[in-house]
Amino acid sequence: ELAVPGTYQPATSVARNSGASSSLNFSSAAAGLAANGAHATGLSMELSTGQSDVTTIVNFAPTLTVIASKQRPRRLVMFGSDGREHAFLLKGHEDLRQDERVMQFFGLVNELLAQNANTGGRDWTDGAGSAGLGMGLSDGSGALSIKRFSVVPLSPNVGLIGWVPNCDTMHSLVRDFREQRKILLNVEHRLMLQMAPDYDNLPLLQKVEVFVIRC
């Protein structure tokens, strides 16, 4: 399933698998987007440069990396007018407008923290340059704040999320923890199937009820 217009060419492979991940040929669509002037329109997209100047899109990387998760999101790389690469996660089958509102709310919280003498006028770093409370630092000032990432809804069920480097998913953390202790990764699912063999076809509320009772 490939939801990027212009990437399919007859007798040409568009998918390439390499272990747990795969990639899609995005070259023709990338060239088309650039030719249509996406770089000149200055899409209302925050590229996380930390500067006041607007960074526009110059081009796109020729391949998309497919993440091996449920919705198969794509890792998309854009080349900005600032000369840097900006990575985003292209997600489908999900409404990101609520995520966008959460990031806007975090921005408001950061403004309130900056205006407060107890949070904005105090260095919250632990000496190693990291936030002692685990909330993250949006700049190098030491002021307490919530670190945000870009969320750009493109339609009610498709959007872009700013790629956060050097992070692990909850799934990978749980998997590594259980592999070290020889615990089955899907032990909860197996327990729920013992109680409700048709668990996967149950409505959401009934799934939650089975989970609470069995696990």
Side-chain angles (χ1 to χ4, degrees):
E1 179 181 358
L2 182 61
V4 181
T7 58
Y8 176 72
Q9 296 177 356
T12 302
S13 176
V14 296
R16 182 170 61 253
N17 295 321
S18 58
S21 63
S22 61
S23 61
L24 297 173
N25 183 4
F26 191 59
S27 56
S28 59
L33 288 171
N36 289 332
H39 61 292
T41 58
L43 297 177
S44 57
M45 185 180 300
E46 180 184 355
L47 292 183
S48 304
T49 60
Q51 303 173 354
S52 59
D53 296 336
V54 176
T55 300
T56 56
I57 301 171
V58 175
N59 209 337
F60 296 81
T63 58
L64 295 176
T65 302
V66 182
I67 309 300
S69 61
K70 182 178 180 181
Q71 300 294 353
R72 295 292 188 272
R74 278 77 161 155
R75 185 178 185 272
L76 170 67
V77 177
M78 304 178 186
F79 301 101
S81 57
D82 58 353
R84 296 170 52 195
E85 294 184 3
H86 302 273
F88 286 84
L89 191 67
L90 176 62
K91 296 198 70 175
H93 313 290
E94 189 169 338
D95 190 349
L96 297 181
R97 290 175 292 185
Q98 184 174 359
D99 300 71
E100 181 186 32
R101 297 295 180 267
V102 171
M103 289 299 131
Q104 292 173 350
F105 174 72
F106 285 168
L108 175 60
V109 172
N110 287 342
E111 292 182 8
L112 296 176
L113 291 173
Q115 296 172 8
N116 188 287
N118 294 324
T119 55
R122 176 180 172 185
D123 189 352
W124 289 86
T125 57
D126 59 5
S130 61
L133 294 184
M135 295 181 69
L137 296 174
S138 60
D139 52 38
S141 65
L144 186 66
S145 63
I146 303 174
K147 185 171 293 185
R148 300 183 297 159
F149 51 85
S150 302
V151 179
V152 186
L154 302 176
S155 74
N157 60 354
V158 176
L160 294 170
I161 296 178
W163 186 268
V164 182
N166 304 319
C167 293
D168 285 323
T169 63
M170 287 298 298
H171 180 271
S172 63
L173 293 174
V174 172
R175 181 196 61 207
D176 295 343
F177 178 86
R178 294 189 173 183
E179 285 181 351
Q180 293 175 2
R181 290 158 178 80
K182 309 299 182 181
I183 302 174
L184 291 175
L185 180 60
N186 62 341
V187 60
E188 293 87 0
H189 188 252
R190 293 192 177 196
L191 291 174
M192 290 183 290
L193 288 177
Q194 291 177 3
M195 179 177 179
D198 59 341
Y199 172 81
D200 293 331
N201 298 321
L202 294 177
L204 178 59
L205 292 179
Q206 293 185 11
K207 286 183 176 181
V208 174
E209 183 179 359
V210 173
F211 178 82
V212 172
I213 295 175
R214 198 65 181 88
C215 300

